[in-house]
C-alpha cells in the first residue's frame, strides 16, 4: 500500500510539472523582439515557389506564364525589382528540390491573412490563365493549394473568376 503511494507522488508531480509547462507555453505572449520582416523572405519564397509550380504544372515552358509569374511577384509580393531575379531563382530551386507544396502552404498559413491568401490564389490563377489555356494539372494544383491554405470553395471560384475576367477577357 505504501509502495503505491510512493509511485503516485512522483507521477503526480510529473503531471503537475507538465501542466505547469503547458500553461507557461500558452500564457506567454510571442516574442515580439524579433523583427517580423525576418520571415518575409521565406514567405515570399513560398509564394513565388507556388507561382512557379503553377507555371510548370502543364509541362510547357511558356513565356506568357513566366511574365505572369513576374507580374504577380511584383504586384502581390511587392518585391523590389532588384530582388526579383534572386527570388525567382530561389523559387525554381525550391520547386526542383521539393516534393510537396505543404511546406509552402504551411508557412503561408502561419503568416498570411485570409485576404493575402486570396490574393495569392488569384495570382496563381493569373499564371494559369496567362497562356490562354487552363490545363487540368494547373487547376488541380490550385485547388489543392486552396484547400491547404484553408480557403473555401467559394473563394476558390471567386479567385478563378477574378483572375479570368481581370487577366484575360478572351477566356470569359
Amino acid at each position: 500500500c505504501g509502495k503505491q503511494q510512493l509511485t503516485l507522488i512522483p507521477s503526480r508531480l510529473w503531471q503537475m510539472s507538465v501542466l505547469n509547462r503547458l500553461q507557461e507555453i500558452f500564457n506567454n505572449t510571442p516574442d515580439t523582439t524579433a523583427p517580423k520582416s525576418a520571415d518575409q523572405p521565406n514567405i515570399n519564397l513560398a509564394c513565388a515557389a507556388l507561382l512557379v509550380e503553377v507555371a510548370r504544372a502543364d509541362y510547357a515552358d511558356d513565356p506568357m506564364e513566366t511574365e505572369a509569374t513576374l507580374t504577380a511577384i511584383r504586384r502581390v509580393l511587392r518585391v523590389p525589382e532588384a530582388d526579383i531575379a534572386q527570388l525567382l531563382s530561389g523559387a525554381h530551386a525550391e520547386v526542383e528540390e521539393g516534393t510537396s507544396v505543404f511546406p509552402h502552404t504551411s508557412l503561408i498559413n502561419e503568416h498570411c491573412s485570409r485576404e493575402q491568401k486570396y490574393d495569392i490564389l488569384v495570382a496563381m490563377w493569373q499564371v494559369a490563365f496567362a497562356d490562354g489555356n487552363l490545363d487540368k494539372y494547373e487547376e488541380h494544383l490550385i485547388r489543392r493549394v486552396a484547400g491547404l491554405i484553408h480557403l473555401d470553395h467559394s473563394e476558390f471560384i471567386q479567385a478563378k473568376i477574378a483572375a479570368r475576367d481581370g487577366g484575360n477577357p478572351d477566356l470569359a
Side-chain angles (χ1 to χ4, degrees):
C1 200
K3 194 173 187 180
Q4 274 186 333
Q5 193 173 15
L6 288 176
T7 58
L8 288 177
I9 292 172
S11 174
R12 181 141 173 92
L13 288 175
W14 178 79
Q15 289 174 346
M16 291 305 292
S17 69
V18 170
L19 289 173
N20 289 339
R21 181 67 184 130
L22 286 173
Q23 283 179 329
E24 284 178 21
I25 291 170
F26 289 116
N27 290 336
N28 286 342
T29 56
D31 183 14
T32 56
T33 58
K36 187 169 181 166
S37 63
D39 289 331
Q40 196 62 38
N42 291 332
I43 295 168
N44 287 345
L45 182 60
C47 294
L50 291 176
L51 295 170
V52 169
E53 283 275 5
V54 172
R56 294 175 50 145
D58 59 3
Y59 301 101
D61 188 18
D62 190 291
M64 294 172 71
E65 288 181 338
T66 302
E67 185 56 39
T69 302
L70 292 171
T71 300
I73 288 171
R74 288 182 192 106
R75 185 183 55 79
V76 176
L77 304 180
R78 295 185 181 103
V79 173
E81 197 66 36
D83 299 338
I84 289 178
Q86 182 180 0
L87 179 64
L88 199 56
S89 175
H92 280 285
E94 283 284 316
V95 170
E96 288 290 328
E97 296 169 8
T99 58
S100 171
V101 296
F102 183 75
H104 308 304
T105 58
S106 179
L107 191 61
I108 289 167
N109 282 329
E110 289 176 30
H111 298 283
C112 295
S113 68
R114 192 165 199 87
E115 182 180 325
Q116 290 168 322
K117 293 175 185 181
Y118 177 82
D119 291 342
I120 293 165
L121 205 64
V122 170
M124 291 176 73
W125 278 117
Q126 288 170 337
V127 171
F129 282 128
D131 63 356
N133 178 35
L134 177 60
D135 187 81
K136 64 182 177 182
Y137 298 115
E138 293 168 329
E139 184 165 7
H140 174 73
L141 174 63
I142 298 169
R143 183 180 305 275
R144 191 169 41 143
V145 168
L148 289 171
I149 61 175
H150 311 297
L151 291 179
D152 299 330
H153 182 70
S154 62
E155 292 167 305
F156 168 81
I157 297 299
Q158 289 170 355
K160 182 178 183 179
I161 292 169
R164 182 195 66 197
D165 294 349
N168 193 345
D170 296 333
L171 294 173

